Amino acid sequence: MKLLTDLDAIRTLTQGRLDNRRISGASGESVSFRSVMVCGGTGCTSSDSNKIIAALEQEVTGRGIQTEVEIVRTGCFGLCELGPVVIVYPEGIFYSRVEIKDIPALVEQHLVNGKPYDKKIYEKTRQGDELLNFEETDFYKKQVRIALHNCGVIDPEVIDEYIASDGYRALAQVLTTMSTEQVIDIVKRSGLRGRGGGGFLTGLKWEFAARQNKPQKYVICNADEGDPGAFMDRSILEGNPHSVIEAMAIAGYAIGANQGFIYVRAEYPIAVQRFSKALDQAREYGLLGDDIFGTGFAFNIEVRLGAGAFVCGEETALIHSIEGHRGMPTPKPPFPAVEGLWGQPTIINNVETLANIGQIILNGADWYAAIGTEKSKGTKVFALGGKVVNTGLVEVPMGITLREVIFEIGGGIPGGKKFKAVQTGGPSGGCLTEEHLDCTIDFDTLTSLGSMMGSGGMIIMDEDTCMVDVARFYLDFTRDESCGKCTPCRIGTKRLLEMLDKITSGKGTLEDLEHMEQLSLQIKNASLCALGQTAPNPVLSTLKYFREEYLAHITDSKCPAGVCKALISYEIDAQLCRGCSLCARKCPSDAISGKMKEPYVIDKAACIKCGVCFDVCKFKAVAIV
């Protein structure tokens, strides 16, 4: 039991540092120590947050205040659109879009003189002359962080910080005080359902595997997050990797497995690097390997990189890929919990599902079950994208409405545009309309409306979106990602896409709509796996809720949103044109001509309909017709 004593000592030593990362003081008060948290997620890293950290360290050292300031690279704060994000504790001042040139002044004003650096303060935290706690802003105040509970709080590459935030306490509790039946029971009673899209009860899946009388069993973490615009699992692995390791070990104990695998996209280099480092640290501390906590329980985890095939998010295809075969699904039953990896009982949970496990063990099944709805317990992480003010990552209780997420947390539609649709569930989901905004977000409600929860992508669309083109975009994706094993998916998605291409080019017929509906139902009913079974959802939902747009394309040869190139042209209004020549200078096909200070004209035969002229005109003289 020495390891337990060691972990308690680490918590004691590190707790003070973490306690400082709490909003406890007001700006202007005397503060003896500050924590500068810099987002190290993929989004902020792509905006040079690593250089921000280097500049901060150099500036702090140069001013001799390194004993009074800690600079911490964290996981995602959620407001990705505002990156690079820097938060200074204990005041909790939220800085957005920080640039390297801002660092000297930020250090001078805030870290040396104790006055916030006004230029980069997140505007939504201002309330008159006061600065709000950023957690009180609309983006944060309705969120409940469970899966994301350490993201933005700890350095994900320092195991001591995870331990100090109650990390590995759940594993210790499970191994030293609970039977396997008790572990499965608490997960079952919590009501936790799979967050990867299927929504199957996690505890029930574990129970099926535990019942199998086999000497070898496996635990797999599915981190093959392939939905366009989705980055929930990536952010957890980048910001809180030990939560997944701890949960996998707990799952291994519950079902009687001694080996785990994480199957993660190779396109996630930061996540892979941090998770691999976390594995090394856990092994070094004796939290993975043989005889964990002196209980005789052994568990190890290996990393397997996926090559970017969307179909490998399907559990049987994923299993075949780990085995070294081509990632193609197989019929079920038998289910993996009975016969999975190398023919042995295997449980597969995605990253977000596992990130909830430790919190459920520590806080109890009733605590978790009290959050959410009757059949959809807990919280769900969503990646907000598209035409919404606050793009980024949010974690909200199940049962919240679409309106709350889009217009309160998301900040609504930018540019004064009108909301048109929201697509949930990635390429497998459907598009919902304004009439659905007050519907609750839970597994059953979204499915009943013709969409789905999926892994958590949520794409917002405004009035300038063509819904026929949206359906075509997603069909193009699923057609490319089909593994080709079954005919309904391989051929059916191709035929659906051909009809959508026909309609968006102005050559569709009313009979095409009937054929699309029939073919969509056949694909759903006959495809081998969920990729094919859900591929027609964008088509069926847009046909149901936006049928008038299909009819406009077919009967009027018109794209109401002005998106489908074959059905639009560009014209310059001579009354509005000021003759500035900007459109002509930017036109890539030299299709615009004229004289300075006189109206310009577009040669429609030479125009490639790229839309550059429309985008750059400052006088709104270019119109889509």
Side-chain angles (χ1 to χ4, degrees), residues 126-414:
R126 298 182 190 273
Q127 194 171 65
D129 295 331
E130 300 294 323
L131 290 179
L132 287 175
N133 170 338
F134 72 89
E135 293 178 343
E136 295 174 2
T137 62
D138 288 339
F139 182 79
Y140 287 104
K141 66 184 179 183
K142 286 196 173 184
Q143 292 195 49
V144 178
R145 286 198 157 199
I146 299 176
L148 298 174
H149 71 282
N150 274 335
C151 294
V153 177
I154 66 171
D155 184 335
E157 298 189 22
V158 178
I159 188 173
D160 288 6
E161 294 200 0
Y162 179 73
I163 292 170
S165 61
D166 288 334
Y168 291 106
R169 273 188 57 207
L171 178 60
Q173 179 178 322
V174 162
L175 296 186
T176 60
T177 69
M178 299 175 71
S179 67
T180 58
E181 292 81 6
Q182 288 174 319
V183 176
I184 292 172
D185 179 65
I186 194 173
V187 176
K188 284 175 64 177
R189 288 190 294 108
S190 74
L192 176 65
R193 295 171 64 172
R195 298 307 197 244
F200 192 78
L201 284 168
T202 304
L204 196 58
K205 181 185 288 188
W206 289 16
E207 186 175 56
F208 289 155
R211 287 176 180 174
Q212 307 309 308
N213 186 20
K214 297 286 184 68
Q216 182 63 58
K217 300 177 183 180
Y218 297 102
V219 173
I220 295 177
C221 173
N222 182 352
D224 192 58
E225 186 175 51
D227 290 4
F231 51 97
M232 299 74 61
D233 292 351
R234 186 195 76 200
S235 295
I236 293 171
L237 291 178
E238 290 175 350
N240 199 18
H242 285 283
S243 67
V244 178
I245 295 171
E246 183 175 15
M248 290 179 71
I250 292 171
Y253 173 75
I255 72 165
N258 61 10
Q259 181 62 52
F261 294 91
I262 180 169
Y263 187 88
V264 59
R265 301 179 72 80
E267 296 94 331
Y268 285 177
I270 297 176
V272 172
Q273 177 262 322
R274 288 185 185 158
F275 191 84
S276 298
K277 185 170 184 176
L279 283 178
D280 292 339
Q281 293 172 340
R283 293 190 189 103
E284 180 183 349
Y285 276 47
L287 298 163
L288 286 177
D290 298 328
D291 196 26
I292 303 173
F293 290 113
T295 61
F297 173 66
F299 191 76
N300 285 286
I301 299 173
E302 295 182 23
V303 177
R304 291 288 186 272
L305 298 183
F310 181 66
V311 73
C312 284
E314 195 278 335
E315 56 186 10
T316 61
L318 184 154
I319 285 171
H320 295 147
S321 183
I322 291 178
E323 292 173 338
H325 306 299
R326 182 176 175 184
M328 302 176 80
T330 50
K332 294 178 285 189
F335 292 93
V338 176
E339 187 176 316
L341 187 63
W342 291 298
Q344 303 303 313
T346 305
I347 58 168
I348 304 177
N349 297 122
N350 87 320
V351 171
E352 184 186 341
T353 307
L354 291 167
N356 285 282
I357 296 296
Q359 297 297 296
I360 290 172
I361 298 295
L362 291 177
N363 296 290
D366 294 341
W367 164 80
Y368 192 80
I371 305 168
T373 67
E374 182 181 356
K375 294 183 179 179
S376 297
K377 305 296 186 182
T379 60
K380 181 71 189 79
V381 182
F382 288 98
L384 285 183
K387 301 299 180 65
V388 65
V389 173
N390 298 326
T391 59
L393 206 65
V394 303
E395 184 173 3
V396 292
M398 293 281 197
I400 196 171
T401 65
L402 287 166
R403 185 183 302 277
E404 288 174 281
V405 173
I406 296 168
F407 287 93
E408 294 183 31
I409 296 173
I413 315 302

Side-chain angles (χ1 to χ4, degrees), residues 80-139:
C80 304
E81 188 264 342
L82 296 177
V85 171
V86 175
I87 297 180
V88 180
Y89 289 106
E91 300 98 323
I93 304 297
F94 188 113
Y95 295 111
S96 62
R97 298 195 180 100
V98 177
E99 300 175 76
I100 295 173
K101 65 182 181 181
D102 295 312
I103 300 305
L106 190 154
V107 172
E108 172 71 22
Q109 291 185 32
H110 194 157
L111 304 185
V112 175
N113 297 322
K115 304 294 183 183
Y117 176 54
D118 191 70
K119 182 178 178 182
K120 291 294 182 175
I121 290 175
Y122 176 37
E123 285 300 320
K124 297 295 177 64
T125 62
R126 298 182 190 273
Q127 194 171 65
D129 295 331
E130 300 294 323
L131 290 179
L132 287 175
N133 170 338
F134 72 89
E135 293 178 343
E136 295 174 2
T137 62
D138 288 339
F139 182 79

